[in-house]
Each structure stands twice: as C-alpha cells, then as structure tokens.
Amino acid sequence: MSLLIKNGTIVTSVNEFQGDIYIEDGKFKEIGTKLDVKADKVVDASGKFVFPGGVDEHVHYGSFGGRLFETTDAAAVGGTTTIMDFAPQDKDVPLLEAIRRQAAKAENVACVDYGFHGIIMDPKDSVFEEIEHLPEVGVSSLKLFMAYKGTSFYSDDESILKAMMLAKKFGITMMVHAENADMIAVLQKYYLDQGKTDPVYHYYSRPPVAEDEATSRAIYLAKMADCPLFVVHVSTKGAMEAIRDAHIAGQPVFGETCTHYLTLTTDCLAKPDFEGAKYVCSPPLRPQLHQDALWEAVREGWLIGVGSDHCALDGGYEITKKKGMGNFAKIPNGCPGVQDRLVLLWTYGVLKGKITRQKFVDLACTTPAKMSGLYPRKGLIAVGSDADVVVFDPDFKGTITNATSLHGIDYSPFEGFPIQGRPELVFLRGKLVAEKGKFVGEKGKGEWVRSKPYALCYDYYKLQEKLP
Ligand code: URP
Ligand code: ZN
Ligand code: ZN
C-alpha cells in the first residue's frame, strides 16, 4: 500500500517547505517537490499543513481510575499517533511484570501506537534491581511520585535517590511528580477542619510553593546522584524557573508542561455547585501569572514538551461527585485532554503568536519522541521514520464539546473553547485512522513501540563522557 501526499506545507521542528511525501509499507520513503511517483492513493494537501503525528509523552489509561485503551481513538482523532502511558505497579508485582500487564491491556485494543514509562510503587530491593533490565522490555523511563502521601504512588526521598543512582547507570530517564506531600497533607487537614470542602481548596491545599519546593528538592537529589532529570507536568513559575536555572547552570534537568496549565486557571476550580471538581488534577490549575510564565517557558525552550496528562476518569463527573462531595481531598484526580492537545496548542499558541509552527511541532511531536526514546522512529517526517502524519486544515473553525469527544466520559474540561484548525486526515504508519474528527481506522491496530535508553535527557551526559 502506497500513499502520496502532494502540495502540502510540510512543517517540522526545524523548518517548513512546500512539498510532497511518498509513503510505502508504513514508512516515509521520499520527501521532495513535485515527486514523480505512482501511488495507490493520492491526497492533495494544497492549503494544508502537514506535520508528523503527535507524540503525547504523558497519558494515563487505566491508572488513577482512568478509562482504558479502547478510548484511544480520541488520540487518533486529535492528531496524536503515539502515546506514552504510565504502567502502575501493584504490591509484590515485579516492575517488569507490571509493565507487561499494562502492555497486555493495550494489545489489540489501542488505536494508536503506544509505549510505557515505569512507576516504582513497591520500593523493595528486588524492584530497584530490576531498573537495569527495563530496556529489555522496551522501557527507558521511570516516574516516581513525591506527592500522594498515604497511597502506594508516594515515594520518599530515599527511594527517589536510590532509583536515580541506579537509573543513570543504565540510561533510564528519571521523571518526578514534584509536589511536597507533607505540606499538602497538613494543608488538607487545615482546610477540612474548618469545613472548607469545596473543589477550590484542592488548589489552596496544593499551593505553588509545594511544587516549587519539591521541584528544587528533586533537582538537588538529581545533582547528588549525578542523574539527568525530567520533571513532569510543571505548573508553576517557580518550578519552571528552578528547572531553567539548573539547566543553565549545566545540570541535565528538563521538564514538560501540559495543555491544561496553558489554557485553564484556578478560576475553573472555583465554579459553583461542585462543578469545579471537573478540573481537579494534580498539580492543580494555577492563577494566570503561572500560565503566562509557562507560555514563555515553552517558547524559550525552558520546558521542552507539552503533554496532555490525559486521565479520563471512568465514571466521569458522576464518580467525581460521589467520591469527592463534602471533601475536596477525595475528588479523583485527572482530566481528559488527549484529543484536544494539538488544536489547543495551535489555537492558543501558534495563532496567538506565542509559539511558531516549528515550535508547535517540536513541543507536540518531536521532543516528546526524543525524550521517550522513540526518535527517530516517531516524531518527525524523514525517510525511514514511521509514516505517522497529520494533514492539518488551518481554516477549520469550531468549538470543543464533549459531544464530539471520544474520551468516553461525560465532560470535557475544555467545553466551549473556540478552536481554529484541526487534523483533517491522520495517518498511522501510512494508514488513514481519522478524518475530520471521526475515527475511521480499525480499532486495536496500535502497536507497542519500544523505547531506547539514553534518550534526550542523557544528551549532555554523553557530551560530558559520563557514560559507563
Ligand atoms: O491529576 C493527575 N495529574 N492525574 C494523573 C496522575 C498524575 O499525577 O500524573
Ligand atoms: Zn503526576
Ligand atoms: Zn500524569
């Protein structure tokens, strides 16, 4: 099966040009102008932009109460052809086995390609010994949670430091969820004791300083371990500045932010009649000044990716109300967003003049692939890479609404958001999977893409010749 996409404006993370793309057997075969090749199918992309398929480095399918992989058609429709999921670890289940179990849930179900980040949740010696074997199952990153005290997700500094000291020996990217768990526990009790139970207290009990402190601490731990660090879902100006300053000082510290921190603010949590619960995620949505700083950070390269942190809570708003009414600390955490990541970044970033089109591709496709150890197979349009490609219509005008969202729950945090531009055609390894907001592929055809160790966060490390 071959495909020719003609006359599009091809946008990569470094350039933009008018051209044609020829695809054969699921791979990019030729890129050029006025290609003289015969193909089974020809697409005229005149007036359209042509990007690599989106790579979302931060999604949750199944963990944290999120819906499972059958709802990954939402990613395809939104122009994301590869997702990096987090594999949770149950007690007494070895780390590698936890990854295999999560992968089994995706197999023959996922609609886009997928890979995994590991999570250490059962910090015993045998689990740390498994770190060096992660690449054998195609995993090259580990997330540890400094937050969620009282749950199995929480890790103390000792575990984080131990993991970092081992991870760096084998090229495993260490990721942290940076919020000070003790500060949060004290503040949650403080507000609940006063009868302050509404969703907005989710924000007050997780103030910016809790994230700023934990981010700085993680950076110090990484410095002590001499280990590269990737801070996930950065939401505050202070945390971003700590990452930026460490990076400028020569420490290999990197971070991402997420679509919702770039488009929503704390005001959403204050919506009346418990409506704010729809916006509960951790770290929480922040006041405008943080959002402004995050846009500056992605533009300047101080934060290198934009993930969705997609977590469509099974049961939606109904379950949120049931669990969290009367106690904000019990509201399940997480918001859907995988479908909306590209259009939001385009509408509120590119079209508002905050980022260039190349930066858009870099933040949403190329760098996420690099940091996840999937590059150059994913995240770029180049001969030999997987033919994951989006033909993007810049003239489409619409509104985000849950009615056309495929994430499988009863609300969208972006309900009513005007958008301009949308993925008109989305190809996964050369096959059409989405057209004008509809999934048209075959479900379950997503494949597990194995991540390679020594991914982007190790680049400086390599230059400094610190590898074993
Ligand atoms: O609220 C969120 N972000 N839910 C998913 C879990 C996490 O911490 O990434
Ligand atoms: Zn997290
Ligand atoms: Zn997350």
Side-chain angles (χ1 to χ4, degrees):
M1 164 71 191
S2 59
L3 168 70
L4 180 63
I5 302 175
K6 284 181 77 67
N7 303 321
T9 302
I10 300 167
V11 188
T12 76
S13 62
V14 289
N15 58 16
E16 187 171 308
F17 53 95
Q18 199 81 25
D20 306 341
I21 298 174
Y22 177 66
I23 292 165
E24 211 179 79
D25 300 328
K27 301 274 183 197
F28 294 117
K29 272 272 150 70
E30 261 187 82
I31 298 153
T33 43
K34 300 193 177 15
L35 288 184
D36 186 18
V37 279
K38 288 222 159 11
D40 300 326
K41 184 178 158 89
V42 179
V43 169
D44 181 9
S46 307
K48 311 277 192 297
F49 291 107
V50 181
F51 312 135
V55 179
D56 192 338
E57 78 278 9
H58 192 147
V59 300
H60 299 272
Y61 283 93
S63 62
F64 285 93
R67 294 270 330 238
L68 273 160
F69 292 90
E70 67 273 3
T71 54
T72 47
D73 49 351
V77 162
T80 288
T81 46
T82 307
I83 50 171
M84 287 297 295
D85 183 55
F86 289 84
Q89 182 194 23
D90 286 334
K91 195 157 170 47
D92 294 328
V93 175
L95 195 53
L96 267 53
E97 176 57 18
I99 291 160
R100 288 191 199 98
R101 287 185 190 180
Q102 186 72 357
K105 293 179 191 160
E107 198 178 355
N108 297 323
V109 179
C111 303
V112 293
D113 286 353
Y114 52 91
F116 298 99
H117 308 290
I119 308 179
I120 292 186
M121 294 171 62
D122 187 12
K124 52 188 176 210
D125 287 351
S126 61
V127 170
F128 288 98
E129 283 160 18
E130 287 186 274
I131 290 177
E132 70 171 287
H133 299 290
L134 283 168
E136 292 162 25
V137 289
V139 170
S140 72
S141 42
L142 264 184
K143 179 178 176 186
L144 273 78
F145 291 79
M146 302 168 91
Y148 304 132
K149 200 166 183 157
T151 77
S152 53
F153 283 98
Y154 172 73
S155 283
D156 60 14
D157 291 354
E158 184 183 348
S159 292
I160 294 169
L161 189 56
K162 269 166 72 181
M164 285 175 169
M165 289 172 81
L166 285 165
K168 66 138 187 229
K169 288 192 189 170
F170 306 104
I172 303 300
T173 300
M174 280 296 301
M175 310 167 96
V176 287
H177 174 134
E179 285 186 288
N180 183 311
D182 291 310
M183 285 185 188
I184 293 166
V186 170
L187 288 174
Q188 283 176 335
K189 186 168 177 329
Y190 173 79
Y191 288 114
L192 289 171
D193 283 352
Q194 296 172 57
K196 293 179 171 166
T197 61
D198 287 347
V200 74
Y201 291 99
H202 177 70
Y203 169 74
Y204 289 117
S205 63
R206 305 177 94 100
V209 67
E211 182 174 341
D212 299 350
E213 185 282 331
T215 305
S216 299
R217 183 158 33 102
I219 293 170
Y220 278 116
L221 291 170
K223 189 172 188 176
M224 157 107 223
D226 192 19
C227 177
L229 176 67
F230 187 83
V231 184
V232 297
H233 49 45
V234 175
S235 73
T236 67
K237 183 170 188 280
M240 176 278 283
E241 288 170 347
I243 293 164
R244 178 196 66 191
D245 293 350
H247 192 89
I248 290 170
Q251 204 184 327
V253 177
F254 305 83
E256 63 163 11
T257 188
C258 302
T259 341
H260 42 283
Y261 301 122
L262 292 169
T263 51
L264 303 171
T265 65
T266 317
D267 291 351
C268 297
L269 286 164
K271 287 193 180 182
D273 301 327
F274 205 68
E275 188 90 16
K278 291 180 180 172
Y279 302 88
V280 167
C281 59
S282 293
L285 298 175
R286 303 298 188 187
Q288 188 65 43
L289 82 95
H290 298 275
Q291 192 178 106
D292 296 342
L294 294 175
W295 275 115
E296 188 185 5
V298 292
R299 186 183 69 233
E300 298 298 327
W302 302 328
L303 296 175
I304 60 171
V306 177
S308 67
D309 201 354
H310 176 85
C311 186
L313 297 165
D314 202 2
Y317 187 41
E318 286 311 309
I319 198 78
T320 304
K321 280 195 283 198
K322 204 164 156 188
K323 292 196 172 169
M325 195 81 92
N327 183 347
F328 67 85
K330 292 197 170 151
I331 300 171
N333 283 209
C335 300
V338 75
Q339 186 169 335
D340 313 308
R341 188 179 64 114
L342 294 193
V343 288
L344 286 171
L345 208 47
W346 181 269
T347 307
Y348 295 94
V350 176
L351 298 184
K352 296 265 183 221
K354 290 182 173 145
I355 52 171
T356 63
R357 291 191 282 264
Q358 284 87 348
K359 184 56 107 176
F360 163 86
V361 171
D362 188 31
L363 291 165
C365 317
T366 310
T367 293
K370 286 183 179 171
M371 74 74 45
S372 304
L374 305 179
Y375 188 86
R377 182 170 167 191
K378 299 291 186 187
L380 84 166
I381 294 179
V383 172
S385 296
D386 279 3
D388 302 335
V389 59
V390 176
V391 176
F392 192 83
D393 174 7
D395 298 322
F396 175 82
K397 285 196 171 83
T399 305
I400 296 179
T401 167
N402 200 53
T404 53
S405 299
L406 302 181
H407 48 235
I409 64 167
D410 55 2
Y411 72 92
S412 163
F414 307 110
E415 185 71 42
F417 263 64
I419 45 145
Q420 180 165 350
R422 75 164 170 195
E424 181 166 291
L425 301 173
V426 182
F427 296 90
L428 172 67
R429 284 176 276 104
K431 288 216 170 80
L432 184 67
V433 289
E435 185 166 5
K436 294 183 180 168
K438 301 260 180 305
F439 183 73
V440 298
E442 207 182 321
K443 289 201 161 190
K445 291 292 176 189
E447 289 178 4
W448 183 0
V449 218
R450 271 44 173 200
S451 296
K452 285 181 290 194
Y454 297 105
L456 178 144
C457 296
Y458 280 85
D459 282 358
Y460 286 146
Y461 215 72
K462 286 180 209 153
L463 286 175
Q464 293 168 9
E465 292 178 359
K466 288 184 177 178
L467 301 182

